[in-house]
Each structure stands twice: as structure tokens, then as C-alpha cells.
Amino acid sequence: MNTDRSEEMFRIACQYMPGGVNSPVRAFKAVKGNPIFIKEARGSQVIDVDGNAYIDYVGSWGPLILGHSHPQVIEAICSMATKGTSFGAPYEAEIELASLISAAIPSIEMIRMVNSGTEAAMSAIRLARAYTGRDKIVKFEGCYHGHADSFLIKAGSGLLTSGVPTSPGVPARTAELTLIATYNDLQSVIDLFNEHGQEIAAVIIEPVAGNMGLVIPDSEFLHGLRQLTLKYGSLLIFDEVITGFRACYGGFQNIVAIKPDLTILGKIIGGGLPVGAYGGSREIMKQVAPQGDVYQAGTLSGNPLAMTAGVETLKILAENDWYDRLEVLTYYLIGKLKTVFENHGLYYEINRLASMFTVFFTEELVDNYTAVLNCDTEKYGAFHQALLNEGVYFPPAQFETCFLSCAHDMDDANKTIEAVNRALSIIQE
Ligand SMILES: *Cc1c(COP(=O)(O)O)cnc(C)c1O
């Protein structure tokens, strides 16, 4: 496979942009490779600037559940663009998207649109702090909520219960307000509440963790969080940026029957354009400006192109049995992949939920961040490169989630199974 043009573009990009990219994981550092530059993408496929085609399991990191360049979504965006690209004034599509989301996720009575998941998570925390009059938050190791200061925090060592920054530039004093708990371990949260219960504004969690690779929640653990936060008067925030409209038409909260106080959305609800949102009960959301005093604003928030792409995407998803079809196809693919791995006698673990999955190179169950860190990332890197050469594009890091889209079909699945088989032979040589 020839990737000369990608390599040349990456060399030039590195002169103008830190690491050659506008978001770190795209640079392929975690798999020690060179990123490919995309020329165009359609359905389940991306095509690079050298003309190579790949079956795509990144899906722009989750938003593209309908596949790339869905004709109806593209048409809606183009038609909107002829009327204007931004008004900075109210526009009807904002109501349409808000009402579609609220109907699908009943805990969201009111919603505020922003431009990214990062912005939504950051704003939700501000609102939770204002609503409770408390400053501390609880976050889980390995969960990602965008790159606001309060979330770039890991556990302190030893007896330290407050967190420490994971990035230079995050003040230690900010980190002190973020307490770190262990995913799927309710006791770790109970311990934090025993010590700091009256100071905790909110517990924030990805109800299905998708940013340490896919880690499935224990349903009792999630229900336990709901009970604990109610007991202490803290808010429960579900970050459904990935899971919103991914596992079903609605949130993962619909599936586990838990009503969080606030929900964070992004990715799919923007239909491939930049969108984030946070929402919850009227009681809490009415504190957001201008109805309330909690300030939060955005020049391009509720952007008509993004709202239109989101509305069109949700309408298409609602129309059909897409979620059943995705379940059937992903079930088939993962079943076959497991056989392929076993035939190669390799240690592996595949976590799957709906159309999301991660292949981990490990000998143990992967149910929290410690288990994730024990995976063989070197082997994943080699696997990733070998797969790329076979025309299959997996996320360029072990700790990410693969996504199928409605555009993937049996042919893609079968080609992927063959490609994985060949890739595993190559990395075992
Ligand atoms: C992607 C993601 C975010 C951040 O969204 P951006 O739009 O990249 O800022 C937040 N939370 C979760 C769970 C995500 O997967």
C-alpha cells in the first residue's frame, strides 16, 4: 500500500500545527505510525489522498452513525446553507432538535446547545456547582469528559483523596476540587462521600465508558451512584456524548432506567457537524442565563447548519429499525472475530455493546482503568498497522472504541474478518 502523499502532507502539516494535527490522537503516536490524510468518505468507507480505500471503524470518533456523507443529511445541510450559515439569532431548527432530544430522553426537559462535548461538560459542572452551592466533583479514572481543566485530573497517590493534573497548565488548586473514583467500584465512591459528602456538587460519569476502550458498566454500580447522589444532595451527571443515540434511540439512561440530573450530549446529535449540549430538569436548567444567573454563551451555538444536520440524522434514525440491524451485524462481526483470535491462539478480550466494541490485547477481563492499562499497546500498534495495510481503519490507539454505522453491511463485516485474520498472522510472524 502506497501512502507517499499522506506522508508528505504530514511532514508539511507538522511545520504549521503542533504534531501536525488539530486533535492529538489523530497523529497515530499511540500506534507509532504515520497518519493517513483523508480525501473523501462515503458510507462505510474513507479514501485517503493516495487513493487507498478503508472500511472505517472510527466514524469520526462516534458521530457518524449513519455512515459518511449520508445523502439526506448532505442535502439538508446544502439546502440550509443556501439560506444562511449563521444568524446569531433564534432559528426554528433549534426548537426542532431540542424537542426531538427531549422526547427521546425524558430526563431532559430543557437543553442548551453548545459547540463541543468539552464545552457541554464544562458548562454542566458550572451549573451543578451553582445549583448545589458546592465545589467538588467526582470523576472516574479513565473516563473522558473533554479537556476542560476540571477533567484533566488523575488520582493522587497514597492517602491523598484529591486529584492531581494530567496536563501541565492545569492549576493544582483546580485539581484539588476533582476527586477520582474507580469505574465499576461503588465502594470507591462511597469512600469519597464518607469523607467529602457535603462538599460534592456532582458525580460525572460515562454510563458506558468509551474513552479507555469500551468498558461496560455494571448496572448495579450505576443504580448505586443514583442512590448515593440522592442521599447526599449531589447531582448525577451522565456524559452521553458517545452513548446518546448510539445504543438506542435515546440515551443509555433509557436502557438502564436511571434518571440523571444532567445529561451531556454531542457527537451523533450534531450529525457530523460540531455540536454539544447539556440538559436536565426544568428546575435545574432554568438557572442558566438568561433565565437564571449561571452564565454560559456562544457565538455559533445552535448554529443552523449543525442543528439541521442533527435534526435530519435523528429523523432518519427514528424512522427505521436501524438499532436492531446494527445489533445483528455487530453481533455477527464480533462472534467471528472471537473465533479468528482463538484460532490464532492469542490472548484477547473483546468488549462490545450495541454497535461499539474494543479489541484489547490482554489476558484478563477489562472492567476498569487498571485492567485497561495492563493491555499490550505495542501489540495493538502492530495490529493497527497491519489492519490498515489490509484496508481496515481501526482507531489509532488501544484505548478507543470502534463504531459500526448503518452504512456497514455483511460484505464489510466479512472483509474485516478476513483482514483481521491476515493481520494477526502478520503480527505473529
Ligand atoms: C468526545 C467526548 C467528549 C468531548 O467532546 P468534544 O466534542 O470532543 O469536545 C466528552 N465526553 C465524551 C464521553 C466523549 O466521548
Side-chain angles (χ1 to χ4, degrees):
M1 184 170 285
N2 183 337
T3 55
D4 291 351
R5 296 192 69 158
S6 278
E7 276 161 43
E8 174 63 4
M9 282 186 191
F10 188 51
R11 196 185 59 72
I12 299 169
C14 286
Q15 295 171 19
Y16 293 103
M17 292 174 266
V21 291
N22 281 307
S23 196
V25 73
R26 294 179 198 170
F28 279 40
K29 269 180 105 169
V31 290
K32 299 195 171 80
N34 266 321
I36 55 171
F37 273 66
I38 308 297
K39 187 173 73 183
E40 57 189 325
R42 200 159 293 114
S44 61
Q45 283 206 339
V46 293
I47 296 170
D48 71 13
V49 288
D50 290 282
N52 305 303
Y54 307 85
I55 304 171
D56 181 30
Y57 288 92
V58 178
S60 191
W61 303 94
L64 299 179
I65 191 169
L66 296 177
H68 292 274
S69 313
H70 189 286
Q72 272 168 264
V73 178
I74 299 304
E75 200 198 307
I77 294 171
C78 291
S79 143
M80 181 67 233
T82 63
K83 295 183 230 163
T85 56
S86 180
F87 307 126
Y91 184 72
E92 191 176 2
E94 296 170 273
I95 311 175
E96 273 189 273
L97 187 56
S99 60
L100 283 172
I101 291 171
S102 180
I105 306 178
S107 73
I108 301 180
E109 293 171 352
M110 294 181 107
I111 193 164
R112 167 60 58 85
M113 299 295 172
V114 293
N115 303 293
S116 69
T118 294
E119 212 188 325
M122 185 184 82
S123 310
I125 286 295
R126 181 182 304 139
L127 177 57
R129 284 174 165 155
Y131 184 77
T132 57
R134 303 172 180 179
D135 285 344
K136 293 196 162 132
I137 60 168
V138 173
K139 167 193 183 290
F140 292 86
E141 223 180 359
C143 280
Y144 180 68
H145 308 291
H147 63 83
D149 284 357
S150 302
F151 304 119
L152 298 183
I153 313 289
K154 64 180 177 188
S157 57
L159 295 172
L160 215 60
T161 54
S162 59
V164 296
T166 56
S167 166
V170 175
R173 274 185 234 166
T174 301
E176 281 169 16
L177 298 176
T178 301
L179 310 173
I180 304 294
T182 307
Y183 203 82
N184 273 331
D185 178 358
L186 188 59
Q187 190 59 47
S188 73
V189 192
I190 293 172
D191 291 346
L192 291 175
F193 270 89
N194 281 339
E195 198 172 336
H196 305 278
Q198 302 305 323
E199 301 163 83
I200 296 172
V203 172
I204 183 167
I205 188 165
E206 291 178 75
V208 179
N211 287 286
M212 49 175 146
L214 189 75
V215 173
I216 315 290
D218 176 26
S219 137
E220 272 174 41
F221 162 68
L222 291 180
H223 283 276
L225 293 180
R226 179 64 286 185
Q227 283 160 6
L228 197 61
T229 44
L230 282 173
K231 180 175 157 196
Y232 283 90
S234 309
L235 301 190
L236 179 62
I237 305 177
F238 271 12
D239 181 346
E240 301 231 37
V241 171
I242 285 183
T243 50
F245 296 91
R246 171 55 67 174
C248 67
Y249 186 83
F252 190 70
Q253 58 191 269
N254 303 40
I255 294 174
V256 280
I258 293 175
K259 197 175 169 195
D261 300 295
L262 289 172
T263 299
I264 301 164
L265 295 168
K267 298 196 169 120
I268 289 176
I269 64 157
L273 271 69
V275 174
Y278 61 105
S281 66
R282 205 169 300 284
E283 161 79 12
I284 299 174
M285 289 303 292
K286 73 179 186 198
Q287 311 239 344
V288 177
Q291 197 169 347
D293 296 332
V294 181
Y295 193 71
Q296 187 271 304
T299 302
L300 289 167
S301 293
N303 174 265
L305 289 177
M307 295 299 103
T308 301
V311 166
E312 196 62 28
T313 297
L314 295 197
K315 280 186 178 163
I316 296 168
L317 285 172
E319 265 165 19
N320 233 309
D321 59 347
W322 285 119
Y323 292 95
D324 293 337
R325 287 200 234 172
L326 280 166
E327 175 68 26
V328 169
L329 187 63
T330 315
Y331 179 85
Y332 169 80
L333 173 66
I334 299 307
K336 294 281 183 194
L337 287 185
K338 286 182 171 176
T339 308
V340 170
F341 270 83
E342 263 141 42
N343 288 345
H344 283 267
L346 270 163
Y347 289 114
Y348 76 97
E349 207 41 64
I350 300 180
N351 287 349
R352 172 185 89 89
L353 193 134
S355 52
M356 307 177 272
F357 70 93
T358 299
V359 175
F360 294 99
F361 288 90
T362 180
E363 295 179 36
E364 55 177 312
L365 282 180
V366 182
D367 61 355
N368 64 35
Y369 192 56
T370 311
V372 165
L373 290 183
N374 286 334
C375 294
D376 187 342
T377 53
E378 294 281 326
K379 195 165 264 171
Y380 183 85
F383 175 64
H384 179 268
Q385 185 59 52
L387 260 188
L388 213 53
N389 291 336
E390 297 290 341
V392 174
Y393 192 102
F394 266 31
Q398 166 72 93
F399 308 138
E400 300 290 349
T401 297
C402 294
F403 299 100
L404 275 80
S405 77
C406 303
H408 286 72
D409 59 16
M410 277 302 267
D411 190 42
D412 291 320
N414 286 326
K415 280 183 183 151
T416 301
I417 293 155
E418 277 310 304
V420 168
N421 190 28
R422 285 192 297 269
L424 291 181
S425 300
I426 288 165
I427 68 169
Q428 281 183 299
E429 268 168 15

Short mmCIF file of all heavy atoms in Angstrom, two decimals, residues 116-118 144-146 206 211 239 241-242 267, ligand 1:
data_model
loop_
_atom_site.label_atom_id
_atom_site.label_comp_id
_atom_site.label_asym_id
_atom_site.label_seq_id
_atom_site.Cartn_x
_atom_site.Cartn_y
_atom_site.Cartn_z
N SER A 116 -19.29 21.85 21.38
CA SER A 116 -18.49 20.63 21.55
C SER A 116 -18.88 19.95 22.85
O SER A 116 -19.51 20.57 23.73
CB SER A 116 -17.00 20.97 21.58
OG SER A 116 -16.69 21.67 22.77
N GLY A 117 -18.49 18.70 22.97
CA GLY A 117 -18.72 17.96 24.20
C GLY A 117 -17.95 18.58 25.35
O GLY A 117 -18.43 18.62 26.49
N THR A 118 -16.75 19.05 25.06
CA THR A 118 -15.93 19.72 26.08
C THR A 118 -16.69 20.88 26.71
O THR A 118 -16.79 21.00 27.94
CB THR A 118 -14.63 20.26 25.44
OG1 THR A 118 -13.83 19.17 25.01
CG2 THR A 118 -13.84 21.11 26.41
N TYR A 144 -13.52 10.14 30.07
CA TYR A 144 -13.13 11.39 29.42
C TYR A 144 -14.36 12.27 29.28
O TYR A 144 -15.43 11.80 28.87
CB TYR A 144 -12.55 11.10 28.03
CG TYR A 144 -12.11 12.33 27.26
CD1 TYR A 144 -11.00 13.08 27.67
CD2 TYR A 144 -12.79 12.74 26.11
CE1 TYR A 144 -10.59 14.19 26.96
CE2 TYR A 144 -12.36 13.86 25.39
CZ TYR A 144 -11.27 14.58 25.81
OH TYR A 144 -10.86 15.69 25.10
N HIS A 145 -14.20 13.53 29.65
CA HIS A 145 -15.32 14.47 29.53
C HIS A 145 -14.87 15.73 28.81
O HIS A 145 -15.29 16.84 29.15
CB HIS A 145 -15.88 14.80 30.91
CG HIS A 145 -16.21 13.59 31.73
ND1 HIS A 145 -17.25 12.75 31.40
CD2 HIS A 145 -15.61 13.04 32.82
CE1 HIS A 145 -17.29 11.74 32.28
NE2 HIS A 145 -16.30 11.89 33.13
N GLY A 146 -13.99 15.58 27.82
CA GLY A 146 -13.42 16.75 27.15
C GLY A 146 -12.24 17.26 27.95
O GLY A 146 -11.84 16.66 28.94
N GLU A 206 -19.30 8.53 32.35
CA GLU A 206 -19.77 7.98 31.08
C GLU A 206 -20.53 6.70 31.47
O GLU A 206 -19.91 5.76 31.97
CB GLU A 206 -18.60 7.58 30.19
CG GLU A 206 -17.78 8.70 29.62
CD GLU A 206 -16.61 8.15 28.79
OE1 GLU A 206 -16.84 7.68 27.66
OE2 GLU A 206 -15.48 8.17 29.28
N ASN A 211 -13.89 5.88 26.40
CA ASN A 211 -12.63 6.58 26.16
C ASN A 211 -11.43 5.94 26.84
O ASN A 211 -10.35 6.54 26.91
CB ASN A 211 -12.76 8.05 26.56
CG ASN A 211 -13.61 8.83 25.58
OD1 ASN A 211 -13.17 9.14 24.48
ND2 ASN A 211 -14.85 9.13 25.94
N ASP A 239 -22.52 11.60 31.16
CA ASP A 239 -21.91 12.09 29.94
C ASP A 239 -22.24 11.08 28.84
O ASP A 239 -21.60 10.04 28.73
CB ASP A 239 -20.39 12.23 30.13
CG ASP A 239 -19.71 12.77 28.88
OD1 ASP A 239 -20.35 12.76 27.81
OD2 ASP A 239 -18.54 13.19 28.97
N VAL A 241 -22.13 11.71 25.58
CA VAL A 241 -21.63 12.25 24.31
C VAL A 241 -21.46 11.12 23.28
O VAL A 241 -21.81 11.27 22.12
CB VAL A 241 -20.33 13.05 24.51
CG1 VAL A 241 -19.69 13.42 23.17
CG2 VAL A 241 -20.59 14.32 25.32
N ILE A 242 -20.95 9.98 23.75
CA ILE A 242 -20.85 8.83 22.85
C ILE A 242 -22.15 8.04 22.82
O ILE A 242 -22.65 7.67 21.76
CB ILE A 242 -19.69 7.89 23.27
CG1 ILE A 242 -18.35 8.51 22.89
CG2 ILE A 242 -19.83 6.51 22.60
CD1 ILE A 242 -17.15 7.64 23.19
N LYS A 267 -21.47 14.64 19.58
CA LYS A 267 -21.28 13.63 18.54
C LYS A 267 -22.56 13.38 17.70
O LYS A 267 -22.87 14.20 16.86
CB LYS A 267 -20.69 12.37 19.17
CG LYS A 267 -19.31 12.70 19.77
CD LYS A 267 -18.39 11.56 20.10
CE LYS A 267 -17.02 12.14 20.42
NZ LYS A 267 -16.51 11.86 21.75
C1 LIG B 1 -15.87 13.03 22.65
C2 LIG B 1 -16.26 13.13 24.08
C3 LIG B 1 -16.29 14.34 24.78
C4 LIG B 1 -15.73 15.62 24.21
O1 LIG B 1 -16.42 16.06 23.09
P1 LIG B 1 -15.65 17.06 22.09
O2 LIG B 1 -16.73 17.43 21.12
O3 LIG B 1 -14.53 16.29 21.50
O4 LIG B 1 -15.19 18.21 22.91
C5 LIG B 1 -16.81 14.36 26.06
N1 LIG B 1 -17.27 13.24 26.63
C6 LIG B 1 -17.24 12.05 26.00
C7 LIG B 1 -17.79 10.85 26.69
C8 LIG B 1 -16.72 11.95 24.71
O5 LIG B 1 -16.65 10.76 24.12
#
